[in-house]
Amino acid sequence: MLRASRIGLLSTRYEIARDGATLCTWKPSAFFGGGSFVLEGRRYDVARGGWSWRRYRLLDESGELLAMADAVGRGEWTLETGGHTYSFERQSLIRSEHVLIQDDAVAGSVRRISTWRGEAEADLPGLPLPVQVFVLVSLLAVWDEE
């Protein structure tokens, strides 16, 4: 399970950890709504776009598209990676929790634990680690705008 914690009360940066060990730091861009992180020595960029500004793309160091998430944060949204399309659903308008649906069953989730401290968790088994971080930081970007 991944856990994101804001670095400082007023910071926009997040530390992403797994089992208490820091994996990377999410550094959002001040101007374009994306950002970057370095994971296991490799840099990844997250770009934001689309007509609704809710489309996020994960790019590796060479600029290759690894994943794309569309309509992030809406009631239903999708993730495309590795030739597969995954569906996410927002569980409630009140709670900040999105679940990964596979074969009509919940297979994982991302949820905001604390808005005040800026904490969130992601449990997305089966997805590559960079894609798990990508899903988590994309939702953090949406939540921080709301």
Side-chain angles (χ1 to χ4, degrees), residues 62-134:
S62 66
E64 182 180 342
L65 180 67
L66 300 178
M68 183 168 54
D70 200 15
V72 175
R74 303 270 190 225
E76 295 179 4
W77 55 281
T78 58
L79 168 70
E80 296 177 30
T81 185
H84 295 92
T85 300
Y86 299 90
S87 297
F88 284 83
E89 293 179 2
R90 186 173 182 167
Q91 288 298 95
S92 162
L93 290 174
I94 299 168
R95 293 177 32 204
S96 295
E97 181 176 12
H98 296 257
V99 295
L100 170 62
I101 304 295
Q102 288 181 307
D103 301 322
D104 296 322
V106 173
S109 67
V110 182
R111 65 188 181 103
R112 184 75 133 180
I113 299 168
S114 169
T115 303
W116 176 251
R117 291 189 312 258
E119 294 180 339
E121 288 182 339
D123 183 21
L124 300 168
L127 293 178
L129 184 56
V131 175
Q132 291 181 43
V133 173
F134 166 66

Side-chain angles (χ1 to χ4, degrees), residues 5-88:
S5 300
R6 188 175 286 135
I7 300 173
L9 188 60
L10 300 175
S11 177
T12 59
R13 297 178 352 158
Y14 286 86
E15 180 180 272
I16 311 293
R18 180 174 58 189
D19 300 327
T22 300
L23 295 174
C24 63
T25 299
W26 165 241
K27 298 174 185 173
S29 166
F31 300 106
F32 302 109
S36 64
F37 59 92
V38 176
L39 180 65
E40 297 173 338
R42 298 188 65 195
R43 179 185 166 98
Y44 297 91
D45 291 309
V46 176
R48 179 177 148 187
W51 65 271
S52 69
W53 286 95
R54 295 275 180 132
R55 177 175 292 155
Y56 290 82
R57 294 174 312 190
L58 176 64
L59 307 167
D60 69 8
E61 293 170 315
S62 66
E64 182 180 342
L65 180 67
L66 300 178
M68 183 168 54
D70 200 15
V72 175
R74 303 270 190 225
E76 295 179 4
W77 55 281
T78 58
L79 168 70
E80 296 177 30
T81 185
H84 295 92
T85 300
Y86 299 90
S87 297
F88 284 83

